PDB file of all heavy atoms in Angstrom:
ATOM      1  N   ARG N   1       4.926 -45.336  29.318  1.00 92.00           N
ATOM      2  CA  ARG N   1       5.218 -45.120  27.906  1.00 92.00           C
ATOM      3  C   ARG N   1       6.717 -45.255  27.640  1.00 92.00           C
ATOM      4  O   ARG N   1       7.543 -44.887  28.472  1.00 92.00           O
ATOM      5  CB  ARG N   1       4.746 -43.724  27.492  1.00 92.00           C
ATOM      6  CG  ARG N   1       4.847 -43.441  25.994  1.00 92.00           C
ATOM      7  CD  ARG N   1       4.494 -42.012  25.666  1.00 92.00           C
ATOM      8  NE  ARG N   1       3.157 -41.643  26.119  1.00 92.00           N
ATOM      9  CZ  ARG N   1       2.648 -40.433  25.956  1.00 92.00           C
ATOM     10  NH1 ARG N   1       3.385 -39.479  25.359  1.00 92.00           N
ATOM     11  NH2 ARG N   1       1.440 -40.174  26.390  1.00 92.00           N
ATOM     12  N   GLY N   2       7.076 -45.774  26.478  1.00 91.00           N
ATOM     13  CA  GLY N   2       8.480 -45.893  26.119  1.00 91.00           C
ATOM     14  C   GLY N   2       9.151 -44.538  26.053  1.00 91.00           C
ATOM     15  O   GLY N   2       8.599 -43.583  25.493  1.00 91.00           O
ATOM     16  N   ALA N   3      10.349 -44.451  26.602  1.00 91.00           N
ATOM     17  CA  ALA N   3      11.046 -43.164  26.671  1.00 91.00           C
ATOM     18  C   ALA N   3      11.374 -42.620  25.288  1.00 91.00           C
ATOM     19  O   ALA N   3      11.545 -41.414  25.124  1.00 91.00           O
ATOM     20  CB  ALA N   3      12.322 -43.316  27.495  1.00 91.00           C
ATOM     21  N   GLY N   4      11.451 -43.487  24.285  1.00 89.00           N
ATOM     22  CA  GLY N   4      11.742 -43.028  22.943  1.00 89.00           C
ATOM     23  C   GLY N   4      10.649 -42.168  22.348  1.00 89.00           C
ATOM     24  O   GLY N   4      10.879 -41.460  21.357  1.00 89.00           O
ATOM     25  N   LYS N   5       9.458 -42.206  22.940  1.00 90.00           N
ATOM     26  CA  LYS N   5       8.329 -41.414  22.459  1.00 90.00           C
ATOM     27  C   LYS N   5       8.159 -40.122  23.245  1.00 90.00           C
ATOM     28  O   LYS N   5       7.211 -39.373  23.008  1.00 90.00           O
ATOM     29  CB  LYS N   5       7.043 -42.235  22.544  1.00 90.00           C
ATOM     30  CG  LYS N   5       7.074 -43.499  21.687  1.00 90.00           C
ATOM     31  CD  LYS N   5       5.779 -44.292  21.827  1.00 90.00           C
ATOM     32  CE  LYS N   5       5.823 -45.565  20.987  1.00 90.00           C
ATOM     33  NZ  LYS N   5       4.586 -46.366  21.133  1.00 90.00           N
ATOM     34  N   PHE N   6       9.077 -39.866  24.156  1.00 93.00           N
ATOM     35  CA  PHE N   6       8.969 -38.673  24.988  1.00 93.00           C
ATOM     36  C   PHE N   6       9.400 -37.429  24.222  1.00 93.00           C
ATOM     37  O   PHE N   6      10.320 -37.466  23.397  1.00 93.00           O
ATOM     38  CB  PHE N   6       9.851 -38.802  26.234  1.00 93.00           C
ATOM     39  CG  PHE N   6       9.233 -39.581  27.356  1.00 93.00           C
ATOM     40  CD1 PHE N   6       8.081 -40.320  27.172  1.00 93.00           C
ATOM     41  CD2 PHE N   6       9.815 -39.581  28.611  1.00 93.00           C
ATOM     42  CE1 PHE N   6       7.509 -41.037  28.208  1.00 93.00           C
ATOM     43  CE2 PHE N   6       9.260 -40.282  29.656  1.00 93.00           C
ATOM     44  CZ  PHE N   6       8.096 -41.012  29.456  1.00 93.00           C
ATOM     45  N   SER N   7       8.754 -36.303  24.530  1.00 92.00           N
ATOM     46  CA  SER N   7       9.233 -35.004  24.066  1.00 92.00           C
ATOM     47  C   SER N   7      10.503 -34.658  24.832  1.00 92.00           C
ATOM     48  O   SER N   7      10.854 -35.319  25.829  1.00 92.00           O
ATOM     49  CB  SER N   7       8.183 -33.929  24.318  1.00 92.00           C
ATOM     50  OG  SER N   7       8.011 -33.734  25.719  1.00 92.00           O
ATOM     51  N   LEU N   8      11.203 -33.608  24.391  1.00 91.00           N
ATOM     52  CA  LEU N   8      12.408 -33.204  25.096  1.00 91.00           C
ATOM     53  C   LEU N   8      12.097 -32.821  26.535  1.00 91.00           C
ATOM     54  O   LEU N   8      12.839 -33.175  27.458  1.00 91.00           O
ATOM     55  CB  LEU N   8      13.081 -32.029  24.373  1.00 91.00           C
ATOM     56  CG  LEU N   8      14.327 -31.444  25.051  1.00 91.00           C
ATOM     57  CD1 LEU N   8      15.383 -32.515  25.282  1.00 91.00           C
ATOM     58  CD2 LEU N   8      14.901 -30.294  24.226  1.00 91.00           C
ATOM     59  N   GLY N   9      10.992 -32.108  26.742  1.00 91.00           N
ATOM     60  CA  GLY N   9      10.628 -31.705  28.099  1.00 91.00           C
ATOM     61  C   GLY N   9      10.360 -32.897  28.998  1.00 91.00           C
ATOM     62  O   GLY N   9      10.779 -32.925  30.174  1.00 91.00           O
ATOM     63  N   MET N  10       9.681 -33.905  28.483  1.00 93.00           N
ATOM     64  CA  MET N  10       9.408 -35.122  29.265  1.00 93.00           C
ATOM     65  C   MET N  10      10.708 -35.868  29.549  1.00 93.00           C
ATOM     66  O   MET N  10      10.908 -36.408  30.641  1.00 93.00           O
ATOM     67  CB  MET N  10       8.419 -36.001  28.508  1.00 93.00           C
ATOM     68  CG  MET N  10       7.022 -35.395  28.406  1.00 93.00           C
ATOM     69  SD  MET N  10       6.021 -36.160  27.102  1.00 93.00           S
ATOM     70  CE  MET N  10       5.924 -37.855  27.652  1.00 93.00           C
ATOM     71  N   SER N  11      11.612 -35.905  28.559  1.00 94.00           N
ATOM     72  CA  SER N  11      12.909 -36.554  28.770  1.00 94.00           C
ATOM     73  C   SER N  11      13.710 -35.824  29.846  1.00 94.00           C
ATOM     74  O   SER N  11      14.407 -36.457  30.654  1.00 94.00           O
ATOM     75  CB  SER N  11      13.703 -36.570  27.464  1.00 94.00           C
ATOM     76  OG  SER N  11      13.068 -37.362  26.482  1.00 94.00           O
ATOM     77  N   GLN N  12      13.613 -34.497  29.864  1.00 94.00           N
ATOM     78  CA  GLN N  12      14.287 -33.721  30.906  1.00 94.00           C
ATOM     79  C   GLN N  12      13.778 -34.114  32.287  1.00 94.00           C
ATOM     80  O   GLN N  12      14.565 -34.293  33.225  1.00 94.00           O
ATOM     81  CB  GLN N  12      14.058 -32.218  30.689  1.00 94.00           C
ATOM     82  CG  GLN N  12      14.779 -31.638  29.483  1.00 94.00           C
ATOM     83  CD  GLN N  12      16.239 -31.343  29.766  1.00 94.00           C
ATOM     84  OE1 GLN N  12      16.950 -32.135  30.376  1.00 94.00           O
ATOM     85  NE2 GLN N  12      16.711 -30.206  29.323  1.00 94.00           N
ATOM     86  N   ARG N  13      12.478 -34.246  32.414  1.00 94.00           N
ATOM     87  CA  ARG N  13      11.901 -34.623  33.708  1.00 94.00           C
ATOM     88  C   ARG N  13      12.379 -36.009  34.137  1.00 94.00           C
ATOM     89  O   ARG N  13      12.685 -36.246  35.312  1.00 94.00           O
ATOM     90  CB  ARG N  13      10.373 -34.567  33.635  1.00 94.00           C
ATOM     91  CG  ARG N  13       9.815 -33.144  33.518  1.00 94.00           C
ATOM     92  CD  ARG N  13       8.310 -33.151  33.292  1.00 94.00           C
ATOM     93  NE  ARG N  13       7.763 -31.804  33.156  1.00 94.00           N
ATOM     94  CZ  ARG N  13       7.278 -31.083  34.159  1.00 94.00           C
ATOM     95  NH1 ARG N  13       7.260 -31.586  35.378  1.00 94.00           N
ATOM     96  NH2 ARG N  13       6.802 -29.868  33.960  1.00 94.00           N
ATOM     97  N   LEU N  14      12.456 -36.937  33.170  1.00 95.00           N
ATOM     98  CA  LEU N  14      12.930 -38.278  33.497  1.00 95.00           C
ATOM     99  C   LEU N  14      14.407 -38.242  33.892  1.00 95.00           C
ATOM    100  O   LEU N  14      14.823 -38.918  34.843  1.00 95.00           O
ATOM    101  CB  LEU N  14      12.722 -39.205  32.299  1.00 95.00           C
ATOM    102  CG  LEU N  14      13.202 -40.644  32.467  1.00 95.00           C
ATOM    103  CD1 LEU N  14      12.529 -41.311  33.671  1.00 95.00           C
ATOM    104  CD2 LEU N  14      12.933 -41.455  31.195  1.00 95.00           C
ATOM    105  N   GLY N  15      15.213 -37.452  33.177  1.00 95.00           N
ATOM    106  CA  GLY N  15      16.625 -37.341  33.518  1.00 95.00           C
ATOM    107  C   GLY N  15      16.844 -36.762  34.905  1.00 95.00           C
ATOM    108  O   GLY N  15      17.726 -37.204  35.647  1.00 95.00           O
ATOM    109  N   ILE N  16      16.030 -35.788  35.260  1.00 95.00           N
ATOM    110  CA  ILE N  16      16.135 -35.190  36.598  1.00 95.00           C
ATOM    111  C   ILE N  16      15.701 -36.189  37.660  1.00 95.00           C
ATOM    112  O   ILE N  16      16.320 -36.291  38.735  1.00 95.00           O
ATOM    113  CB  ILE N  16      15.299 -33.897  36.656  1.00 95.00           C
ATOM    114  CG1 ILE N  16      15.958 -32.829  35.772  1.00 95.00           C
ATOM    115  CG2 ILE N  16      15.164 -33.394  38.088  1.00 95.00           C
ATOM    116  CD1 ILE N  16      15.096 -31.616  35.525  1.00 95.00           C
ATOM    117  N   ALA N  17      14.659 -36.969  37.371  1.00 95.00           N
ATOM    118  CA  ALA N  17      14.230 -38.000  38.315  1.00 95.00           C
ATOM    119  C   ALA N  17      15.351 -39.006  38.555  1.00 95.00           C
ATOM    120  O   ALA N  17      15.606 -39.415  39.700  1.00 95.00           O
ATOM    121  CB  ALA N  17      12.986 -38.708  37.777  1.00 95.00           C
ATOM    122  N   ALA N  18      16.045 -39.406  37.485  1.00 95.00           N
ATOM    123  CA  ALA N  18      17.157 -40.343  37.634  1.00 95.00           C
ATOM    124  C   ALA N  18      18.281 -39.733  38.466  1.00 95.00           C
ATOM    125  O   ALA N  18      18.891 -40.410  39.302  1.00 95.00           O
ATOM    126  CB  ALA N  18      17.672 -40.756  36.253  1.00 95.00           C
ATOM    127  N   ALA N  19      18.549 -38.442  38.271  1.00 96.00           N
ATOM    128  CA  ALA N  19      19.609 -37.778  39.023  1.00 96.00           C
ATOM    129  C   ALA N  19      19.285 -37.704  40.508  1.00 96.00           C
ATOM    130  O   ALA N  19      20.187 -37.736  41.351  1.00 96.00           O
ATOM    131  CB  ALA N  19      19.833 -36.373  38.470  1.00 96.00           C
ATOM    132  N   LEU N  20      18.003 -37.621  40.834  1.00 96.00           N
ATOM    133  CA  LEU N  20      17.588 -37.464  42.234  1.00 96.00           C
ATOM    134  C   LEU N  20      17.220 -38.784  42.901  1.00 96.00           C
ATOM    135  O   LEU N  20      16.842 -38.796  44.074  1.00 96.00           O
ATOM    136  CB  LEU N  20      16.382 -36.515  42.309  1.00 96.00           C
ATOM    137  CG  LEU N  20      16.598 -35.097  41.775  1.00 96.00           C
ATOM    138  CD1 LEU N  20      15.303 -34.287  41.909  1.00 96.00           C
ATOM    139  CD2 LEU N  20      17.743 -34.405  42.495  1.00 96.00           C
ATOM    140  N   LEU N  21      17.328 -39.890  42.176  1.00 95.00           N
ATOM    141  CA  LEU N  21      16.824 -41.180  42.660  1.00 95.00           C
ATOM    142  C   LEU N  21      17.404 -41.575  44.018  1.00 95.00           C
ATOM    143  O   LEU N  21      16.690 -42.051  44.897  1.00 95.00           O
ATOM    144  CB  LEU N  21      17.120 -42.260  41.614  1.00 95.00           C
ATOM    145  CG  LEU N  21      16.435 -43.604  41.803  1.00 95.00           C
ATOM    146  CD1 LEU N  21      14.920 -43.466  41.791  1.00 95.00           C
ATOM    147  CD2 LEU N  21      16.890 -44.582  40.726  1.00 95.00           C
ATOM    148  N   GLY N  22      18.698 -41.383  44.193  1.00 95.00           N
ATOM    149  CA  GLY N  22      19.329 -41.778  45.451  1.00 95.00           C
ATOM    150  C   GLY N  22      19.332 -40.696  46.505  1.00 95.00           C
ATOM    151  O   GLY N  22      20.015 -40.833  47.522  1.00 95.00           O
ATOM    152  N   ASP N  23      18.561 -39.614  46.294  1.00 95.00           N
ATOM    153  CA  ASP N  23      18.555 -38.449  47.185  1.00 95.00           C
ATOM    154  C   ASP N  23      19.988 -37.997  47.468  1.00 95.00           C
ATOM    155  O   ASP N  23      20.417 -37.902  48.625  1.00 95.00           O
ATOM    156  CB  ASP N  23      17.838 -38.772  48.501  1.00 95.00           C
ATOM    157  CG  ASP N  23      17.530 -37.514  49.311  1.00 95.00           C
ATOM    158  OD1 ASP N  23      17.512 -36.413  48.720  1.00 95.00           O
ATOM    159  OD2 ASP N  23      17.316 -37.636  50.533  1.00 95.00           O
ATOM    160  N   PRO N  24      20.755 -37.718  46.391  1.00 96.00           N
ATOM    161  CA  PRO N  24      22.198 -37.475  46.546  1.00 96.00           C
ATOM    162  C   PRO N  24      22.509 -36.162  47.245  1.00 96.00           C
ATOM    163  O   PRO N  24      21.747 -35.205  47.194  1.00 96.00           O
ATOM    164  CB  PRO N  24      22.701 -37.449  45.100  1.00 96.00           C
ATOM    165  CG  PRO N  24      21.514 -36.974  44.307  1.00 96.00           C
ATOM    166  CD  PRO N  24      20.324 -37.593  44.976  1.00 96.00           C
ATOM    167  N   ALA N  25      23.692 -36.141  47.862  1.00 96.00           N
ATOM    168  CA  ALA N  25      24.159 -34.926  48.530  1.00 96.00           C
ATOM    169  C   ALA N  25      24.607 -33.876  47.522  1.00 96.00           C
ATOM    170  O   ALA N  25      24.584 -32.686  47.810  1.00 96.00           O
ATOM    171  CB  ALA N  25      25.307 -35.266  49.474  1.00 96.00           C
ATOM    172  N   THR N  26      24.995 -34.324  46.320  1.00 97.00           N
ATOM    173  CA  THR N  26      25.481 -33.417  45.282  1.00 97.00           C
ATOM    174  C   THR N  26      24.741 -33.694  43.983  1.00 97.00           C
ATOM    175  O   THR N  26      24.602 -34.860  43.575  1.00 97.00           O
ATOM    176  CB  THR N  26      26.996 -33.596  45.053  1.00 97.00           C
ATOM    177  OG1 THR N  26      27.682 -33.242  46.257  1.00 97.00           O
ATOM    178  CG2 THR N  26      27.492 -32.729  43.914  1.00 97.00           C
ATOM    179  N   VAL N  27      24.253 -32.629  43.330  1.00 97.00           N
ATOM    180  CA  VAL N  27      23.478 -32.770  42.102  1.00 97.00           C
ATOM    181  C   VAL N  27      24.131 -31.915  41.015  1.00 97.00           C
ATOM    182  O   VAL N  27      24.400 -30.733  41.221  1.00 97.00           O
ATOM    183  CB  VAL N  27      22.010 -32.318  42.309  1.00 97.00           C
ATOM    184  CG1 VAL N  27      21.220 -32.440  41.012  1.00 97.00           C
ATOM    185  CG2 VAL N  27      21.354 -33.141  43.404  1.00 97.00           C
ATOM    186  N   VAL N  28      24.365 -32.531  39.846  1.00 97.00           N
ATOM    187  CA  VAL N  28      24.994 -31.851  38.706  1.00 97.00           C
ATOM    188  C   VAL N  28      24.040 -31.967  37.523  1.00 97.00           C
ATOM    189  O   VAL N  28      23.730 -33.071  37.071  1.00 97.00           O
ATOM    190  CB  VAL N  28      26.350 -32.489  38.362  1.00 97.00           C
ATOM    191  CG1 VAL N  28      26.950 -31.833  37.126  1.00 97.00           C
ATOM    192  CG2 VAL N  28      27.312 -32.375  39.538  1.00 97.00           C
ATOM    193  N   LEU N  29      23.578 -30.831  37.008  1.00 96.00           N
ATOM    194  CA  LEU N  29      22.599 -30.825  35.921  1.00 96.00           C
ATOM    195  C   LEU N  29      23.086 -29.940  34.780  1.00 96.00           C
ATOM    196  O   LEU N  29      23.471 -28.800  34.995  1.00 96.00           O
ATOM    197  CB  LEU N  29      21.245 -30.313  36.418  1.00 96.00           C
ATOM    198  CG  LEU N  29      20.590 -31.072  37.585  1.00 96.00           C
ATOM    199  CD1 LEU N  29      19.327 -30.352  38.027  1.00 96.00           C
ATOM    200  CD2 LEU N  29      20.289 -32.502  37.196  1.00 96.00           C
ATOM    201  N   ASP N  30      23.022 -30.490  33.565  1.00 94.00           N
ATOM    202  CA  ASP N  30      23.419 -29.744  32.377  1.00 94.00           C
ATOM    203  C   ASP N  30      22.170 -29.326  31.601  1.00 94.00           C
ATOM    204  O   ASP N  30      21.406 -30.184  31.161  1.00 94.00           O
ATOM    205  CB  ASP N  30      24.322 -30.613  31.499  1.00 94.00           C
ATOM    206  CG  ASP N  30      24.933 -29.846  30.339  1.00 94.00           C
ATOM    207  OD1 ASP N  30      24.975 -28.604  30.408  1.00 94.00           O
ATOM    208  OD2 ASP N  30      25.369 -30.482  29.364  1.00 94.00           O
ATOM    209  N   GLU N  31      21.967 -28.031  31.453  1.00 92.00           N
ATOM    210  CA  GLU N  31      20.826 -27.469  30.706  1.00 92.00           C
ATOM    211  C   GLU N  31      19.483 -28.074  31.144  1.00 92.00           C
ATOM    212  O   GLU N  31      18.734 -28.614  30.329  1.00 92.00           O
ATOM    213  CB  GLU N  31      21.019 -27.683  29.200  1.00 92.00           C
ATOM    214  CG  GLU N  31      22.306 -27.124  28.632  1.00 92.00           C
ATOM    215  CD  GLU N  31      22.299 -25.606  28.527  1.00 92.00           C
ATOM    216  OE1 GLU N  31      21.270 -24.991  28.802  1.00 92.00           O
ATOM    217  OE2 GLU N  31      23.349 -25.051  28.165  1.00 92.00           O
ATOM    218  N   PRO N  32      19.131 -27.998  32.415  1.00 92.00           N
ATOM    219  CA  PRO N  32      17.928 -28.695  32.890  1.00 92.00           C
ATOM    220  C   PRO N  32      16.604 -28.120  32.404  1.00 92.00           C
ATOM    221  O   PRO N  32      15.581 -28.804  32.485  1.00 92.00           O
ATOM    222  CB  PRO N  32      18.036 -28.573  34.424  1.00 92.00           C
ATOM    223  CG  PRO N  32      18.838 -27.329  34.639  1.00 92.00           C
ATOM    224  CD  PRO N  32      19.836 -27.312  33.512  1.00 92.00           C
ATOM    225  N   VAL N  33      16.566 -26.882  31.887  1.00 90.00           N
ATOM    226  CA  VAL N  33      15.289 -26.300  31.460  1.00 90.00           C
ATOM    227  C   VAL N  33      15.043 -26.438  29.966  1.00 90.00           C
ATOM    228  O   VAL N  33      14.008 -26.011  29.469  1.00 90.00           O
ATOM    229  CB  VAL N  33      15.169 -24.809  31.865  1.00 90.00           C
ATOM    230  CG1 VAL N  33      15.290 -24.647  33.367  1.00 90.00           C
ATOM    231  CG2 VAL N  33      16.199 -23.963  31.140  1.00 90.00           C
ATOM    232  N   ASN N  34      15.975 -27.042  29.237  1.00 88.00           N
ATOM    233  CA  ASN N  34      15.773 -27.228  27.802  1.00 88.00           C
ATOM    234  C   ASN N  34      14.493 -28.008  27.527  1.00 88.00           C
ATOM    235  O   ASN N  34      14.282 -29.093  28.080  1.00 88.00           O
ATOM    236  CB  ASN N  34      16.956 -27.987  27.180  1.00 88.00           C
ATOM    237  CG  ASN N  34      18.065 -27.064  26.740  1.00 88.00           C
ATOM    238  OD1 ASN N  34      18.001 -25.862  26.975  1.00 88.00           O
ATOM    239  ND2 ASN N  34      19.090 -27.614  26.116  1.00 88.00           N
ATOM    240  N   GLY N  35      13.644 -27.466  26.659  1.00 85.00           N
ATOM    241  CA  GLY N  35      12.442 -28.173  26.262  1.00 85.00           C
ATOM    242  C   GLY N  35      11.283 -28.079  27.225  1.00 85.00           C
ATOM    243  O   GLY N  35      10.213 -28.615  26.941  1.00 85.00           O
ATOM    244  N   LEU N  36      11.463 -27.417  28.351  1.00 88.00           N
ATOM    245  CA  LEU N  36      10.380 -27.319  29.336  1.00 88.00           C
ATOM    246  C   LEU N  36       9.483 -26.128  29.032  1.00 88.00           C
ATOM    247  O   LEU N  36       9.935 -25.087  28.539  1.00 88.00           O
ATOM    248  CB  LEU N  36      10.953 -27.173  30.747  1.00 88.00           C
ATOM    249  CG  LEU N  36      11.703 -28.382  31.308  1.00 88.00           C
ATOM    250  CD1 LEU N  36      12.215 -28.067  32.702  1.00 88.00           C
ATOM    251  CD2 LEU N  36      10.823 -29.624  31.336  1.00 88.00           C
ATOM    252  N   ASP N  37       8.204 -26.287  29.331  1.00 89.00           N
ATOM    253  CA  ASP N  37       7.273 -25.174  29.180  1.00 89.00           C
ATOM    254  C   ASP N  37       7.380 -24.256  30.395  1.00 89.00           C
ATOM    255  O   ASP N  37       8.216 -24.471  31.288  1.00 89.00           O
ATOM    256  CB  ASP N  37       5.840 -25.685  28.983  1.00 89.00           C
ATOM    257  CG  ASP N  37       5.373 -26.582  30.134  1.00 89.00           C
ATOM    258  OD1 ASP N  37       6.004 -26.580  31.215  1.00 89.00           O
ATOM    259  OD2 ASP N  37       4.364 -27.291  29.952  1.00 89.00           O
ATOM    260  N   VAL N  38       6.555 -23.232  30.431  1.00 91.00           N
ATOM    261  CA  VAL N  38       6.641 -22.245  31.514  1.00 91.00           C
ATOM    262  C   VAL N  38       6.455 -22.899  32.872  1.00 91.00           C
ATOM    263  O   VAL N  38       7.200 -22.623  33.825  1.00 91.00           O
ATOM    264  CB  VAL N  38       5.602 -21.124  31.303  1.00 91.00           C
ATOM    265  CG1 VAL N  38       5.585 -20.186  32.503  1.00 91.00           C
ATOM    266  CG2 VAL N  38       5.913 -20.335  30.031  1.00 91.00           C
ATOM    267  N   GLU N  39       5.470 -23.791  32.964  1.00 91.00           N
ATOM    268  CA  GLU N  39       5.230 -24.469  34.248  1.00 91.00           C
ATOM    269  C   GLU N  39       6.448 -25.291  34.649  1.00 91.00           C
ATOM    270  O   GLU N  39       6.847 -25.321  35.818  1.00 91.00           O
ATOM    271  CB  GLU N  39       3.992 -25.363  34.131  1.00 91.00           C
ATOM    272  CG  GLU N  39       3.578 -26.048  35.435  1.00 91.00           C
ATOM    273  CD  GLU N  39       4.370 -27.325  35.731  1.00 91.00           C
ATOM    274  OE1 GLU N  39       4.787 -27.997  34.767  1.00 91.00           O
ATOM    275  OE2 GLU N  39       4.569 -27.640  36.929  1.00 91.00           O
ATOM    276  N   GLY N  40       7.047 -25.978  33.658  1.00 91.00           N
ATOM    277  CA  GLY N  40       8.215 -26.795  33.941  1.00 91.00           C
ATOM    278  C   GLY N  40       9.413 -25.971  34.386  1.00 91.00           C
ATOM    279  O   GLY N  40      10.161 -26.380  35.273  1.00 91.00           O
ATOM    280  N   ILE N  41       9.597 -24.817  33.767  1.00 92.00           N
ATOM    281  CA  ILE N  41      10.704 -23.941  34.147  1.00 92.00           C
ATOM    282  C   ILE N  41      10.519 -23.436  35.585  1.00 92.00           C
ATOM    283  O   ILE N  41      11.471 -23.416  36.380  1.00 92.00           O
ATOM    284  CB  ILE N  41      10.818 -22.769  33.160  1.00 92.00           C
ATOM    285  CG1 ILE N  41      11.274 -23.284  31.785  1.00 92.00           C
ATOM    286  CG2 ILE N  41      11.791 -21.710  33.683  1.00 92.00           C
ATOM    287  CD1 ILE N  41      11.241 -22.243  30.698  1.00 92.00           C
TER     288      ILE N  41
END
């Protein structure tokens, strides 16, 4: 699905996936739980 149709919670999950794509040694996340439901949090 096009990312423009994502809810904030779905966009958060995609942003986190992009941050982890290279299995980095250092991870920096700004407000990662915004828009997530209880399960997501």
